[in-house]
Amino acid sequence: MWVAAKHVSNVATAEREVAALKLACKFDVPRVVQLKGDLQHPTNGRVLILEMLEGMTMAQYLLHHAEHSWACREERTLGTAAQLMETLCKLHNSANLAHLDIKPPNMMLIRKPQNKWDTIRLVDGGLAQALEPGNGNLAFAMGASVNVASPEVLFARHLADHCGRDVLKVDGAAADQWSAGTTLFVMLTGDFPFLMSNQPYTRDTWRDALQAQRSWVR
């Protein structure tokens, strides 16, 4: 059996991902990459042993293989939406987890799926956070990619950076749903609803992203 090895240099990130994947497996969350084990890296961080996935990320598909100016057909987008929503529903309601980094590079498309309703896998759970179901599904607002981060995540990060406060909590389930919607928008159009460069996370990054979102929804 072939497996994939992923080196995560940041110990805290590795521990979050290991814990998230174990919970997803425990509660039979569909379409999440399976963790086979983890090892201490000889110099730093940990090495995650994952199931081998044959295929490409959604980002790669959109860049190189999609039709109509890099956008997906509606049929494929609808099929992906149904799978993604089912996965997130189970992740939020059964495992009490928020992924907090749903985006095209973190969605694998399986090359030879067993059926048409099992074509994606969520990967990279390094930002995943436990939800507080009895308290508004709160989760810590981690540093999600600004192009797909929800307004409340951006505001929480901006406020934390600007005021020097600890990372604030947001509704993690709602944040995932926003990122999922943004990802589906990209699949249909080939572009983000608002664009931000991949610059380091700073207080200016969060502020600029918020302004871009506000101009888009007006």
Side-chain angles (χ1 to χ4, degrees):
M1 179 182 67
W2 292 94
V3 295
K6 175 185 178 181
H7 174 221
V8 183
S9 58
N10 185 284
V11 175
T13 300
E15 290 177 347
R16 278 196 302 268
E17 184 160 7
V18 168
L21 293 178
K22 286 182 176 178
L23 271 176
C25 180
K26 177 180 178 181
F27 289 97
D28 296 321
V29 179
R31 307 180 192 92
V32 175
V33 63
Q34 293 182 9
L35 177 72
K36 302 297 184 181
D38 65 295
L39 307 167
Q40 185 72 40
H41 191 270
T43 56
N44 65 324
R46 300 191 68 81
V47 177
L48 278 57
I49 310 301
L50 306 167
E51 68 170 315
M52 177 68 77
L53 298 174
E54 293 189 39
M56 67 184 72
T57 67
M58 179 60 73
Q60 292 169 327
Y61 179 87
L62 291 171
L63 184 60
H64 297 296
H65 296 276
E67 300 176 344
H68 306 303
S69 301
W70 300 358
C72 291
R73 293 178 182 271
E74 288 186 11
E75 182 180 1
R76 176 150 207 170
T77 303
L78 285 172
T80 301
Q83 296 178 66
L84 183 56
M85 291 301 103
E86 182 185 22
T87 298
L88 290 180
C89 183
K90 186 83 170 180
L91 192 70
H92 298 154
N93 298 327
S94 297
N96 289 328
L97 277 174
H99 186 280
L100 293 181
D101 202 17
I102 304 294
K103 58 184 179 181
N106 288 344
M107 289 173 53
M108 284 289 298
L109 299 177
I110 307 303
R111 179 174 298 169
K112 295 180 180 180
Q114 297 296 320
N115 64 73
K116 65 178 183 179
W117 297 111
D118 190 29
T119 63
I120 67 170
R121 292 290 184 276
L122 285 185
V123 300
D124 197 353
L127 297 182
Q129 291 284 316
L131 296 174
E132 299 176 12
N135 192 24
N137 282 333
L138 291 182
F140 285 107
M142 303 302 289
S145 302
V146 291
N147 280 331
V148 297
S150 66
E152 59 266 36
V153 169
L154 291 172
F155 182 74
R157 293 296 307 179
H158 173 61
L159 188 63
D161 292 343
H162 184 73
C163 301
R165 299 181 58 181
D166 294 335
V167 179
L168 304 178
K169 290 186 176 183
V170 299
D171 185 330
D176 276 350
Q177 290 162 6
W178 172 281
S179 298
T182 302
T183 297
L184 296 172
F185 183 98
V186 175
M187 289 181 64
L188 280 174
T189 66
D191 212 346
F192 288 93
F194 44 86
L195 294 174
M196 290 292 300
S197 60
N198 292 321
Q199 54 186 306
Y201 297 139
T202 66
R203 64 180 63 178
D204 291 334
T205 304
W206 304 116
R207 181 193 62 199
D208 293 344
L210 276 170
Q211 290 176 347
Q213 286 185 352
R214 287 166 181 162
S215 65
W216 177 65
V217 299
R218 283 174 186 164

